[in-house]
Amino acid sequence: MAAPMEVALVSDAAGPLCNCSVWELHSGSALPGYRGGNSGPRGLALLGGEHLLGAQLGKSYINVWELQRKDQLQQKIICPGPVTCLTASPNGLYILAGVAESIYLWEVSNGNLLAILNRHYQDLTCLCFTDDSSHFLSGAKDCLALVWNLYSVLQAEPSQIPDPRHVWSRHSLPITDLCCGFGGPLARAATASLDQTAKLWEISSGELLLSVLFDVGIMAVTLDLSEYHMFCGGMDGSIFQVDLCAWPVQRDRTFQTEQENGKVFKGHRNQVTCLSVSTDGSLLLSGSHDETVRLWDIQSKQCLKTMNHKGPVTNAFIVLAPANMFNPDGKPSVPLPKFSKHLHGTESNDEQGSEGVTLRLGLHQQESGESYLEKAEKMYSQMYSTREKNLVGDQEHLTIQVSELEEEVSTLRKINKNLFDFSARIITKPAK
């Protein structure tokens, strides 16, 4: 079996023919790109290894391509305003988009708009999920970075705006980029800002672990997979390498460019807009407003390859190429539904559809029946009332209640088994 291929996905603000160009990372060979429109900053994302999403620059819609059909847009997701940032959950079940100061959350399986989160005070600039899709982070021009628990967002009543798990307010100027490490809710996250600092946080506790001060505003940040290094792209085109395991350990550091000259990548002539590290941690990909994408050797700090573009680079990241990307006969396992423009539960009945497969948590169900949490609460109350009645000797009623509870438990076990079997079939389904 051939080793997985790493590819770079790159978009710029002025590409006349190609929205997203693709090239093989190690050989540098160009691969067929995706045509139609231009994707805005932080506006390019892979969805479930089967689709590519691109937020149209300055427009109120998201372009969607099937990975194997590069020359033809499959559909457009209409949004209420220009999309300033975009991401998709690693498990392929949810899409997040920033529109002005609001976060829009869609469910992929049926296209329902599940939540609109309005906890920022100025326009969103970046969004990212944790690797297990349990949490997501948002950054905005209001200098705040928020950590959201996806489960809490899905459980919230439609009339209520859920509270974020953490509010990080240590930056004094707009947030420009976010990056999550590995570990799900135990991961570390990095934030970059125009206040000339990059900060490292712990998602579980919300604590600030490290703050590094530079002499220029920071426009992009990323971590290598081992999280030994944090890479920060500056407004002057420099890329700084921060050692996270340096001794002595200091929470507040100042990056002295003159003293740490061996930890600076120099070559870009304008601000760095995006950074990404290869899987083995040996290569760094950077995009810039100088209309170039550069591939660097991290150990030597040498530029290995320069790709010229027609406009400022808006997105550039490294991914392991999904199987469908190079299989012209491949098709998505589940077709995308039409995405709703209205919050789920508020649209008119004639707009409610039943397309796709419905995977639900809590209150967001197609039917108006009880959620699992409501059933669990009901069972608990039944058990509690049964225990009280047993104390007064109502043995006959106790027998009836126990029988009902056993039947309810059996039903829930069947539902759980069906969900497990369905998930197992989707996960283990061989690629075509």
Side-chain angles (χ1 to χ4, degrees):
M1 182 176 179
M5 178 190 296
E6 282 186 291
V7 296
L9 300 180
V10 182
S11 68
D12 62 61
L17 298 177
C18 188
N19 184 310
C20 174
S21 59
V22 184
W23 46 285
E24 202 277 320
L25 193 65
H26 294 278
S27 69
S29 59
L31 303 171
Y34 295 86
R35 298 177 179 273
N38 303 104
S39 296
R42 315 270 183 264
L44 197 65
L46 280 178
L47 175 62
E50 296 183 334
H51 295 87
L52 179 68
L53 308 176
Q56 179 62 33
L57 183 64
K59 301 292 184 180
S60 303
Y61 59 85
I62 299 169
N63 296 312
V64 182
W65 296 265
E66 291 181 4
L67 274 187
Q68 77 282 2
R69 301 183 65 181
K70 300 177 172 62
D71 58 343
Q72 184 175 353
L73 281 171
Q74 182 195 3
Q75 71 177 79
K76 294 180 179 179
I77 301 175
I78 305 301
C79 302
V83 177
T84 57
C85 50
L86 173 71
T87 192
S89 61
N91 60 17
L93 297 181
Y94 301 98
I95 295 173
L96 284 174
V99 178
E101 69 277 2
S102 302
I103 304 171
Y104 286 72
L105 171 65
W106 284 277
E107 186 173 18
V108 174
S109 63
N110 51 32
N112 286 338
L113 179 59
L114 300 184
I116 302 175
L117 307 175
N118 297 294
R119 290 301 301 267
H120 283 284
Y121 306 105
Q122 294 186 41
D123 290 357
L124 270 293
T125 55
C126 42
L127 292 164
C128 71
F129 270 96
T130 55
D131 61 311
D132 67 344
S133 304
S134 66
H135 291 72
F136 61 91
L137 281 66
S138 60
K141 293 180 179 180
D142 58 7
C143 315
L144 298 178
L146 307 183
V147 180
W148 303 85
N149 185 315
L150 178 61
Y151 183 76
S152 299
V153 171
L154 295 176
Q155 286 294 314
E157 295 281 355
S159 59
Q160 297 178 341
I161 300 177
D163 292 325
R165 181 175 177 181
H166 301 299
V167 178
W168 293 335
S169 57
R170 299 289 190 92
H171 286 290
S172 58
L173 287 174
I175 306 292
T176 54
D177 198 11
L178 293 167
C179 174
C180 278
F182 281 87
L186 302 178
R188 298 185 293 181
T191 57
S193 171
L194 292 177
D195 64 6
Q196 301 185 0
T197 67
K199 300 182 188 295
L200 191 68
W201 311 80
E202 186 176 62
I203 291 179
S204 58
S205 65
E207 292 295 319
L208 175 64
L209 303 177
L210 174 68
S211 178
V212 184
L213 176 64
F214 301 88
D215 53 9
V216 294
I218 302 300
M219 303 302 297
V221 66
T222 193
L223 301 166
D224 62 359
L225 294 189
S226 62
E227 297 184 23
Y228 285 157
H229 305 292
M230 178 169 67
F231 300 92
C232 306
M235 293 190 70
D236 63 349
S238 299
I239 302 171
F240 310 101
Q241 177 182 311
V242 179
D243 294 333
L244 300 181
C245 300
W247 189 264
V249 178
Q250 296 176 306
R251 198 179 77 165
D252 295 292
R253 264 194 245 172
T254 300
F255 191 94
Q256 302 288 349
T257 305
E258 298 80 8
Q259 299 177 11
E260 304 188 66
N261 194 44
K263 298 177 182 178
V264 180
F265 300 78
K266 295 183 178 179
H268 285 298
R269 302 182 305 277
N270 205 332
Q271 70 182 42
V272 176
T273 55
C274 31
L275 294 168
S276 182
V277 180
S278 63
T279 306
D280 62 4
S282 65
L283 301 175
L284 175 68
L285 184 74
S286 63
S288 169
H289 273 191
D290 65 6
E291 303 181 3
T292 66
V293 174
R294 292 175 179 263
L295 186 66
W296 308 83
D297 178 76
I298 291 178
Q299 186 172 3
S300 67
K301 308 294 184 293
Q302 296 298 309
C303 180
L304 304 178
K305 188 175 182 61
T306 301
M307 301 290 291
N308 294 309
H309 285 258
K310 300 295 184 181
V313 176
T314 54
N315 298 276
F317 56 88
I318 299 169
V319 295
L320 291 175
N324 278 1
M325 182 172 283
F326 306 114
N327 181 12
D329 299 323
K331 291 184 178 180
S333 55
V334 178
L336 283 184
K338 181 179 179 181
F339 285 78
S340 175
K341 295 182 291 184
H342 305 286
L343 195 61
H344 182 57
T346 62
E347 63 266 39
S348 59
N349 291 333
D350 59 344
E351 290 181 348
Q352 293 180 348
S354 58
E355 297 181 74
V357 179
T358 304
L359 298 178
R360 272 292 179 268
L361 291 175
L363 299 174
H364 301 290
Q365 305 180 57
Q366 280 187 309
E367 299 157 3
S368 58
E370 295 176 309
S371 70
Y372 291 141
L373 289 183
E374 290 171 337
K375 288 180 180 179
E377 187 176 350
K378 182 178 178 181
M379 287 178 64
Y380 177 80
S381 63
Q382 287 177 336
M383 293 172 67
Y384 187 76
S385 63
T386 298
R387 185 169 57 192
E388 284 186 335
K389 291 179 179 178
N390 187 40
L391 292 175
V392 297
D394 192 353
Q395 190 65 36
E396 181 180 355
H397 192 74
L398 172 63
T399 304
I400 295 174
Q401 290 287 344
V402 169
S403 176
E404 290 178 351
L405 287 174
E406 289 177 345
E407 183 179 351
E408 183 71 22
V409 169
S410 176
T411 301
L412 290 175
R413 282 177 175 169
K414 290 179 181 178
I415 292 173
N416 187 49
K417 184 178 183 301
N418 290 338
L419 284 172
F420 176 82
D421 291 342
F422 172 77
S423 301
R425 286 198 304 273
I426 293 297
I427 293 172
T428 60
K429 183 177 180 181
K432 295 183 179 180

